[in-house]
Amino acid sequence: MHDLITVPKRDQRRALWLSTLAFTTCFAAWTIFSIIGVQIKKDLGLSDAQFGLLVGTPILTGSLIRLILGIWADQYGGRLVTLATMLLAALATYLLTYAYDYPTFLLAALGVGLAGGVFSVGVTYVSKWFPKERQGTALGIFGAGNVGAAVTKFLAPLVMVALGWKAVAQVWSLGLVVMALVFYLGTKDDPDLAARRRSGAKPEPLSAMLAPLADLRVWRFALYYFFVFGGFVALALWLPRYYTGVYGLDIVTAGWLAAAYSIPGSLFRILGGSLSDRHGARKVMYWTFLGSCACTFLLAYPATHYVVSGVRGPISFDLALGPIAFTVLTFALGFFMSLGKAAVFKHIPVYYPDRVGAVGGVVGLIGGLGGFVLPIAFGFLNDLIGVWTSCFMLLFAIVAASTVWMHAAVRAQEKRAHPELRQPKDLPEVEALRAEVERLRARRNDNVVGLRNPIGVPAE
């Protein structure tokens, strides 16, 4: 990696903050269906499963394209790739206004999803400007661009109520164009690309970029990101629908309350990056998973009506989360997810400094797929089970499984590094009994060998 000591601080700051603003704008466009999709659902008479597919389709495109965009950012530089991606996403967002039925809306949504691919480009670009000991904080600041989801939830309902959903798409497409030009004109090529151009070296081939993907650890990081990012995006898309369906709120109020989840799920990513730099990404991941397990468990409990046989007759009561308690719990869940998003990407430039684009691309791809698959699963579970909290039941199952796998992997790694950890840890009395059993077993084996070989002929 290029020597970063000689890089001007001004260029570093511009690269970081303009990348963050560009990603914020892209994320706002990427999640546009979380608001306009509610109106489109009413206009077209869609089921919950169809609505989940509609809001998840942009996430599919933005996820699948992340791998190749991350590689291109390594090969050709993040500035050019970001500019091209944002302009294409702006065109697709504007063309969304010409959709007229469900298939054409799905087709348009595929194009809008290009905006989500900017994430892997930005991770590659930003990480090249900072040394390892500062990459966690820098990537945490960049990742706070997830707050674009909250921007859409705050502003899009107001624009939609005043001017209609088509105006939202038009304004958001204009924002993408303006921000793309500001980013490109305000930044410089990253130090690695600049050094490679001065030396005349060619970009590495695609096969070399993809080599680290054979490492199982990459896919473990991807699973973590499936929950912390995919789950975040899925809920950012689903919560306005949840608030209107469960609590009967209007779309403006639902969007604002859903932003109470999106904001901590984005801004606290900066804290997650800083904590990962200071305390280690592994410890932060434990905090993330344990806190998320607690939140999703409480959120998963369905509204229930109880009748208890009391001394003076039946006693009935209801147990359910009100909108305030629900919002507080989603706020806490968003906080823990934000820590985890930063911690996952703290690992990548440390373990794979020369392959950030490819590894970050595949991790972002799997995480983004969570944002596509989960809203569809939420809608399917609603249609199948008929319980609103089924979405949180699914999230609890995912985070619990991730916690178990992470702990097992960490323990296995610790035992490889420190063989003494493999020794039994029972009470002294149990250890003495085990040692006596092993001694008697060895003595018995020696006696058997002696009976089979009475004259001392070597055994085969």
Side-chain angles (χ1 to χ4, degrees):
M1 184 172 288
H2 182 76
D3 185 7
L4 296 174
I5 298 177
T6 60
V7 174
K9 299 295 183 183
R10 181 181 62 181
D11 292 344
Q12 278 185 332
R13 289 193 295 268
R14 283 187 177 181
L16 175 59
W17 292 108
L18 288 179
S19 293
T20 303
L21 289 175
F23 180 47
T24 302
T25 307
C26 287
F27 212 93
W30 201 33
T31 56
I32 192 173
F33 279 98
S34 64
I35 299 300
I36 68 173
V38 176
Q39 183 61 47
I40 294 170
K41 180 181 186 297
K42 293 180 180 178
D43 294 343
L44 300 182
L46 304 180
S47 67
D48 277 336
Q50 288 175 315
F51 173 75
L53 178 59
L54 178 63
V55 299
T57 296
I59 312 305
L60 175 65
T61 309
S63 303
L64 295 179
I65 203 172
R66 283 182 172 189
L67 176 57
I68 189 62
L69 288 182
I71 293 173
W72 283 347
D74 262 333
Q75 292 179 318
Y76 308 112
R79 288 178 69 232
L80 181 61
V81 178
T82 297
L83 175 69
T85 305
M86 291 184 71
L87 292 179
L88 289 173
L91 177 62
T93 305
Y94 184 80
L95 293 177
L96 171 65
T97 59
Y98 292 94
Y100 56 88
D101 60 6
Y102 188 59
T104 54
F105 274 109
L106 290 178
L107 182 62
L110 286 172
V112 173
L114 292 172
V118 169
F119 175 74
S120 61
V121 182
V123 167
T124 306
Y125 180 69
V126 170
S127 65
K128 293 179 182 297
W129 284 98
F130 294 89
K132 290 182 179 180
E133 61 272 13
R134 294 179 57 198
Q135 285 174 341
T137 302
L139 293 176
I141 293 173
F142 168 74
N146 290 165
V147 77
V151 172
T152 290
K153 288 181 177 63
F154 273 123
L155 300 181
L158 301 177
V159 177
M160 188 171 71
V161 170
L163 302 173
W165 70 262
K166 291 185 178 181
V168 178
Q170 293 167 349
V171 172
W172 266 234
S173 64
L174 178 61
L176 284 169
V177 172
V178 172
M179 193 62 236
L181 296 176
V182 170
F183 169 79
Y184 187 77
L185 297 175
T187 57
K188 295 182 178 180
D189 289 330
D190 65 77
D192 280 6
L193 180 63
R196 194 167 68 231
R197 285 179 173 172
R198 287 194 299 267
S199 65
K202 294 182 178 180
E204 290 189 279
L206 181 63
S207 58
M209 292 286 182
L210 295 176
L213 303 188
D215 186 357
L216 180 62
R217 180 167 49 195
V218 172
W219 300 97
R220 183 157 51 85
F221 294 158
L223 174 65
Y224 302 164
Y225 209 60
F226 182 88
F227 172 75
V228 295
F229 179 75
F232 165 79
V233 173
L235 284 179
L237 296 170
W238 189 254
L239 282 179
R241 167 71 181 131
Y242 191 97
Y243 275 114
T244 57
V246 176
Y247 300 112
L249 303 178
D250 62 88
I251 186 59
V252 175
T253 306
W256 288 357
L257 287 177
Y261 164 77
S262 299
I263 290 175
S266 306
L267 296 182
F268 284 117
R269 190 165 181 165
I270 302 173
L271 175 62
S274 177
L275 292 174
S276 297
D277 280 339
R278 285 188 290 171
H279 302 290
R282 179 183 298 172
K283 184 177 292 186
V284 175
M285 286 306 304
Y286 272 110
W287 299 341
T288 293
F289 283 158
L290 294 177
S292 297
C293 278
C295 291
T296 52
F297 179 81
L298 294 173
L299 289 166
Y301 197 87
T304 310
H305 178 73
Y306 289 96
V307 178
V308 179
S309 297
V311 175
R312 298 180 181 85
I315 302 173
S316 63
F317 62 92
D318 295 317
L319 185 61
L321 287 174
I324 296 177
F326 178 83
T327 302
V328 170
L329 279 174
T330 55
F331 182 97
L333 179 60
F335 169 76
F336 286 115
M337 283 180 163
S338 68
L339 299 185
K341 285 184 285 187
V344 170
F345 270 88
K346 167 65 178 177
H347 288 92
I348 293 173
V350 173
Y351 286 109
Y352 310 99
D354 300 322
R355 297 291 184 271
V356 175
V359 176
V362 76
V363 171
L365 186 156
I366 300 299
L369 282 179
F372 167 71
V373 173
L374 291 175
I376 299 174
F378 294 165
F380 178 76
L381 289 174
N382 263 17
D383 293 340
L384 180 66
I385 302 176
V387 177
W388 276 104
T389 60
S390 57
C391 58
F392 295 106
M393 297 176 189
L394 177 59
L395 289 176
F396 174 77
I398 294 171
V399 69
S402 300
T403 305
V404 172
W405 190 19
M406 182 182 74
H407 186 66
V410 168
R411 291 296 298 165
Q413 183 178 349
E414 290 175 344
K415 288 179 180 179
R416 285 194 298 270
H418 304 283
E420 64 273 12
L421 294 177
R422 300 177 185 175
Q423 300 300 319
K425 302 280 190 306
D426 291 326
L427 295 173
E429 294 81 359
V430 177
E431 293 294 337
L433 181 60
R434 180 182 285 111
E436 181 64 19
V437 170
E438 291 297 328
R439 187 182 66 81
L440 293 175
R441 183 178 298 160
R443 183 176 177 182
R444 183 188 63 185
N445 291 338
D446 289 342
N447 291 337
V448 171
V449 172
L451 290 174
R452 290 178 180 175
N453 264 330
I455 59 174
V457 178
E460 294 182 357

